[in-house]
Amino acid sequence: MKHFYKIFSLLLVISCGGGGASSPEAVIPPTQNIPPQPLFKESPIRLIDAASYYSQACNNPSFQFLIPTKINEDGFIDFIAHFWCDSITPAEFDDQPVKDALVAYISDGFGGYTIDNIKAFGSINAQLGGASRKYSRGDLNGDGKDDFAFAMNWEDGRASYDYNSMIANYARPSILMSGESGYTIERLGNADWGHSVQIKDSKALFGGHSSQAFELIDSKWVDISDQYNDLSFASFLVYDDFIINSVRRDGMQGLELLENNQVISSLMTEESFKVNFEGWNNKGTGKYDQLGVYEIRGENYFHGMTTEMCRQDDQIIATINASKLKSGEIIEGGFYSETDTDPVVIFTFYEIKNKELVEKQIEVIGEEINHNFNFFDCMDVNGDQMSDIVAQVFSQPWDDQDDNEGVPEVYINTGNGYMNIDTSSWPTYSINDGSQGYLFDVDSSGTFDLVMFPLKLNISGDVEIFLSNRHVAN
């Protein structure tokens, strides 16, 4: 009987488990519909309003920059913010410095941030010395850490209609120089109406109403301005041993290619005619300047000048900033004000062939020229080893055409052009105020995160960072 039970038990084991794959009654689990992983996490990292720091200058400053960098050694990026105060008497003469404030957000390695100006700058009330217009990132002192050069001015809305008021907009260039534990603030050269800046190796180059250049040699700044005596006020790009300048002179505007301070190639557009124009610095004063009108892509625009450039492999990507009349046609000799216009930004593309600057015909599918912005990034955001374009558009709730609610405009490189991708499902800045944003790998995961912050601190100075789960999709 014992043998019978053993055989019977064995048959039960075989019939229940051994031949299940070939049994006609085997059950196949149903296919599960797994929803795609969202691009960004639902809840943002929040950097708190730095009111106790910038309020030393004013209560509602412009939030000019939120610069990602590494100050401590954890896996998260730290940030340096720069705030500056707008004039309380716009279009009037003022010779006092623009008040400003630097704020350092230090990561804790777990997605949290604290403000620590002492660690970053050695001072609670750190300042650059005015309004920053552009900055450039590089390693000036060769310590393997980021340094930053700033084009500075006192252009806060004060008057600029004569020589004295123009000079009152001048400020000295500034440097944030990395050290063992933070940054020192250095001011160089002469005061100028600084608008453009580039770092090349150990050199800091500044463009304003005059050109200034300095090289860090044995921990001391040496003036080398004679080597770079023609740096554009509007924008310039260092390209190997060349300088590409944005210029407007003699009724023409465009780009010039320089080698050893000599123009060796140019691409210029002649203005169609002139008008009388009241700019934002002279708003309401009735003081008009002559301004050129240029035809771009078959349309007439005020001003029209290249204001930003980046190098993408051997290609130069540039933006032409101009403005269009809100309604009607621009009439030669007419009188117009900034308030009569809307800004436009147009992408253009170039390359250097045999020391000659050549424009390239590149298609940008879905280009949105009515979204205003000062800055854009050239970087690979979707992981296909081709650099894309990310425009840091100004989102303004009172202007429907510009209201991206903090989300940047993203143009993916298709190999033979660029395509504006749909970002309508992306999270937006939660505060109903003017804002802007960019993409950066904040948590060192290898994918790009969404960083958003206000243009001006009317309501709040909170920063919102949405970490990404994967690469940006085409």
Side-chain angles (χ1 to χ4, degrees):
M1 289 296 293
K2 289 182 180 179
H3 293 294
F4 171 79
Y5 286 125
K6 287 181 180 179
I7 294 171
F8 181 73
S9 300
L10 182 61
L11 288 172
L12 286 175
V13 171
I14 293 172
S15 64
C16 290
S22 58
S23 170
E25 298 180 2
V27 178
I28 301 174
T31 302
Q32 296 182 354
N33 293 321
I34 301 175
Q37 189 179 39
L39 177 56
F40 297 104
K41 298 186 186 305
E42 184 176 352
S43 299
I45 294 173
R46 194 175 299 276
L47 278 57
I48 62 170
D49 190 339
S52 60
Y53 290 81
Y54 62 71
S55 61
Q56 303 294 323
C58 59
N59 289 325
N60 60 339
S62 291
F63 198 151
Q64 181 70 9
F65 292 121
L66 182 70
I67 302 173
T69 187
K70 292 292 290 183
I71 298 176
N72 62 14
E73 300 303 321
D74 63 40
F76 276 77
I77 288 292
D78 310 300
F79 294 93
I80 295 173
H82 188 228
F83 307 93
W84 56 266
C85 301
D86 294 275
S87 172
I88 59 174
T89 56
E92 295 183 14
F93 177 81
D94 189 355
D95 62 358
Q96 296 303 301
V98 171
K99 295 180 179 180
D100 74 293
L102 283 168
V103 173
Y105 295 94
I106 309 297
S107 59
D108 63 8
F110 302 99
Y113 284 84
T114 57
I115 296 174
D116 194 342
N117 275 12
I118 295 295
K119 178 178 179 61
F121 311 118
S123 170
I124 292 177
N125 299 317
Q127 299 173 314
L128 284 180
S132 54
R133 177 59 181 86
K134 294 182 182 180
Y135 76 88
S136 182
R137 182 193 303 262
D139 186 3
L140 290 162
N141 56 7
D143 65 353
K145 301 177 182 179
D146 287 335
D147 305 306
F148 301 94
F150 293 85
M152 302 292 296
N153 55 59
W154 289 352
E155 184 186 357
D156 58 355
R158 66 186 65 187
S160 63
Y161 49 78
D162 60 21
Y163 178 77
N164 289 329
S165 62
M166 187 181 298
I167 297 300
N169 282 273
Y170 282 20
R172 295 175 68 194
S174 291
I175 299 281
L176 280 182
M177 185 68 72
S178 61
E180 290 186 6
S181 59
Y183 288 92
T184 58
I185 303 168
E186 304 182 21
R187 297 191 175 99
L188 306 178
N190 301 315
D192 199 354
W193 200 335
H195 269 69
S196 53
V197 59
Q198 290 269 283
I199 289 177
K200 180 184 181 184
D201 303 323
S202 59
K203 302 172 183 177
L205 316 178
F206 301 92
H209 285 163
S210 61
S211 301
Q212 300 185 75
F214 306 90
E215 185 170 10
L216 190 63
I217 301 175
D218 297 329
S219 300
K220 294 183 179 179
W221 289 109
V222 178
D223 191 325
I224 57 167
S225 299
D226 59 338
Q227 298 177 30
Y228 299 92
N229 60 19
D230 189 9
L231 300 173
S232 170
F233 176 89
S235 179
F236 68 91
L237 178 69
V238 177
Y239 188 112
D240 297 338
D241 293 328
F242 302 109
I243 296 290
I244 302 170
N245 262 345
S246 170
V247 296
R248 184 172 61 241
R249 67 168 72 93
D250 301 326
M252 304 185 76
Q253 69 87 16
L255 297 178
E256 292 181 340
L257 182 65
L258 280 70
E259 185 180 38
N260 298 322
N261 287 328
Q262 300 296 316
V263 177
I264 61 173
S265 176
S266 65
L267 286 172
M268 305 295 289
T269 300
E270 188 173 357
E271 69 182 31
S272 301
F273 51 82
K274 288 186 183 295
V275 296
N276 302 285
F277 199 82
E278 182 187 60
W280 83 286
N281 288 84
N282 300 327
K283 180 180 177 182
T285 64
K287 298 181 184 298
Y288 291 83
D289 295 317
Q290 290 278 291
L291 187 70
V293 173
Y294 294 88
E295 183 179 317
I296 305 171
R297 297 183 185 172
E299 299 287 338
N300 280 336
Y301 295 99
F302 297 108
H303 205 44
M305 195 168 188
T306 299
T307 55
E308 191 76 355
M309 291 180 272
C310 79
R311 180 176 179 178
Q312 191 183 72
D313 300 322
D314 292 330
Q315 178 172 263
I316 300 134
I317 303 176
T319 47
I320 297 176
N321 280 60
S323 58
K324 64 180 181 180
L325 198 59
K326 288 183 177 180
S327 62
E329 297 292 328
I330 305 173
I331 306 300
E332 182 175 0
F335 286 79
Y336 302 95
S337 174
E338 193 89 35
T339 55
D340 301 324
T341 70
D342 286 323
V344 298
V345 187
I346 300 168
F347 283 110
T348 53
F349 304 85
Y350 308 90
E351 62 182 336
I352 298 173
K353 284 187 175 181
N354 300 320
K355 295 190 175 183
E356 184 177 356
L357 196 60
V358 179
E359 185 171 3
K360 301 178 68 176
Q361 300 303 315
I362 301 293
E363 183 180 19
V364 182
I365 300 172
E367 181 178 8
E368 179 53 86
I369 69 170
N370 293 317
H371 279 178
N372 187 27
F373 58 93
N374 284 337
F375 309 112
F376 66 95
D377 297 307
C378 297
M379 56 191 186
D380 176 18
V381 298
N382 65 341
D384 64 358
Q385 311 306 310
M386 294 190 296
S387 291
D388 311 301
I389 303 172
V390 181
Q392 301 174 30
V393 300
F394 298 145
S395 298
Q396 297 167 318
W398 56 88
D399 188 345
D400 291 339
Q401 69 174 4
D402 286 334
D403 194 7
N404 260 31
E405 299 181 88
V407 177
E409 205 87 48
V410 181
Y411 296 91
I412 294 296
N413 192 332
T414 63
N416 55 7
Y418 296 85
M419 179 177 62
N420 188 349
I421 66 170
D422 182 9
T423 58
S424 60
S425 64
W426 289 22
T428 57
Y429 189 58
S430 65
I431 299 168
N432 185 29
D433 198 12
S435 56
Q436 61 182 313
Y438 59 80
L439 297 177
F440 200 89
D441 186 3
V442 173
D443 59 354
S444 303
S445 67
T447 61
F448 282 79
D449 311 305
L450 177 60
V451 181
M452 295 182 288
F453 57 101
L455 295 171
K456 189 173 172 62
L457 280 63
N458 299 309
I459 299 174
S460 171
D462 283 3
V463 175
E464 295 174 357
I465 303 171
F466 288 86
L467 298 181
S468 55
N469 293 311
R470 51 182 173 81
H471 281 299
V472 174
N474 290 359

